[in-house]
Amino acid sequence: QVQLVESGGGLVQTGDSLTLSCAASGGTASAYVMGWFRQAPGKEREFVAGASRSGGGTYYADSVKGRFSISRDNAKNTVYLQMNSLKPEDTAIYSCAARWATWVSRRPGDYDYWGQGTQVTVSS
């Protein structure tokens, strides 16, 4: 059983940067594909970014490409989401997820473990 705990959310202004962290325990992080998802009020959960088990492969939603960067430190069992040039439409609860697989999926239902989420609010 893998436990995931996110941190780093908060209230920022348009154009600011924020880094989210996701600490994994109860398993070997390098065995899992990791993803970041977000859910805004009244909207479905959506894929933001994903990283392969080694971190060598990274994937992004078109809405964040060029602004967000996912990385992982398997020695620390931690995944990061660096968010730059934040916009009000990035406001959401951000959750990390782990998938016992060899390839990154953009579908939330394909992930096996989830964190509780961290709130990111971007003011205009």
Side-chain angles (χ1 to χ4, degrees), residues 16 53-54 66 74 100 102 114 124:
D16 284 351
R53 293 185 298 180
S54 68
N74 286 339
W100 180 262
T102 58
W114 290 84
S124 57

Side-chain angles (χ1 to χ4, degrees), residues 39-111:
Q39 187 167 21
K43 295 188 176 181
E44 293 188 353
R45 179 177 284 172
E46 65 173 355
F47 173 82
V48 175
S52 64
R53 293 185 298 180
S54 68
T58 56
Y59 306 85
Y60 299 93
D62 288 342
S63 59
V64 306
K65 199 172 295 183
R67 298 188 299 123
F68 289 14
S69 177
I70 187 173
S71 62
R72 61 189 300 167
D73 185 338
N74 286 339
K76 296 182 178 179
N77 281 350
T78 302
V79 179
Y80 305 96
L81 184 67
Q82 173 68 43
M83 305 185 293
N84 299 323
S85 302
L86 283 162
K87 305 175 182 179
E89 50 264 43
D90 294 319
T91 295
I93 296 175
Y94 284 71
S95 300
C96 67
R99 179 168 189 251
W100 180 262
T102 58
W103 54 275
V104 175
S105 171
R106 295 171 183 259
R107 302 194 312 172
D110 287 339
Y111 286 75

